[in-house]
Amino acid sequence: DQQVKQNSPSLSVQEGRISILNCDYTNSMFDYFLWYKKYPAEGPTFLISISSIKDKNEDGRFTVFLNKSAKHLSLHIVPSQPGDSAVYFCAASEGGADGLTFGKGTHLIIQP
Amino acid sequence: DGGITQSPKYLFRKEGQNVTLSCEQNLNHDAMYWYRQDPGQGLRLIYYSQIVNDFQKGDIAEGYSVSREKKESFPLTVTSAQKNPTAFYLCASSIGLSNQPQHFGDGTRLSIL
């Protein structure tokens, strides 16, 4: 039973446009959400996070939106750059220092 | 430079053998984690430790063992009881408080000969 779902295995976006990656979750106890970026044969790199008391968090070109009632979060990248091409993982936690639950990832491809 | 070091990068094991994957961090983090990634899949939690000399099973702990004798080290042993050990193994650490991100090493790819 997947508690964190990323329903788009891949997404292609033109350079300079907005990339929107989506994530849905089913566990109501999740209260901390993260996005990671990953290249092949490397470890994931932390991008941005949001706690359940907020609905938006920004860091440079990256913005994460959280809709608790819909159990949905999204990552917006504006403007998209060629170096953004990677697999993006959504992850969630019930708080504390327990492990994270990950989605299966979305492969973002930035077209020149 | 602070970070998480996993070694080796690639590891080969004969069937029936135990193998130990190393993870060291110099970030002074209290919590450490082991995940497994299979092709086309997300990361799945194997074991985690929030403090020295203590650890908890994650979602897929069967066939694995860990120890946490030092704050900076969290080795993972893949035992012969793990029926499908071929995977990419990732170690992570965090400060250990609520709502703090985990930071990952570059992984070890384990293959069965």
Side-chain angles (χ1 to χ4, degrees), chain A residues 5-73:
Chain A
K5 298 179 184 178
Q6 294 178 256
N7 292 319
S8 299
S10 66
L11 175 67
S12 184
V13 174
Q14 266 197 312
E15 182 180 354
R17 306 292 291 266
I18 183 172
S19 295
I20 301 175
L21 295 95
N22 293 303
C23 178
D24 298 294
Y25 62 95
T26 57
N27 185 345
S28 301
M29 299 301 292
F30 287 148
D31 67 356
Y32 181 57
F33 304 88
L34 310 90
W35 284 95
Y36 286 87
K37 174 182 180 180
K38 187 181 182 300
Y39 295 115
E42 293 184 8
T45 300
F46 169 69
L47 281 176
I48 192 168
S49 63
I50 188 167
S51 74
S52 59
I53 62 173
K54 294 186 172 183
D55 55 17
K56 177 182 174 181
N57 189 26
E58 285 182 83
D59 185 0
R61 295 187 298 116
F62 303 94
T63 303
V64 56
F65 295 92
L66 175 62
N67 183 334
K68 283 185 65 180
S69 61
K71 293 191 177 68
H72 177 84
L73 64 155

Side-chain angles (χ1 to χ4, degrees), chain B residues 22-80:
Chain B
S22 169
C23 179
E24 304 277 333
Q25 54 99 359
N26 60 4
L27 300 167
N28 200 32
H29 284 173
D30 284 315
M32 297 186 73
Y33 310 82
W34 275 104
Y35 294 87
R36 166 183 174 141
Q37 186 188 19
D38 294 285
Q41 302 294 315
L43 283 66
R44 291 182 292 166
L45 181 67
I46 304 172
Y47 267 99
Y48 65 103
S49 167
Q50 297 181 351
I51 197 168
V52 173
N53 292 323
D54 189 42
F55 48 82
Q56 285 78 41
K57 292 182 179 180
D59 301 320
I60 55 166
E62 186 175 350
Y64 300 97
S65 66
V66 293
S67 63
R68 186 86 188 277
E69 297 176 2
K70 298 186 296 182
K71 185 176 184 177
E72 60 269 23
S73 178
F74 191 40
L76 173 74
T77 297
V78 184
T79 75
S80 57

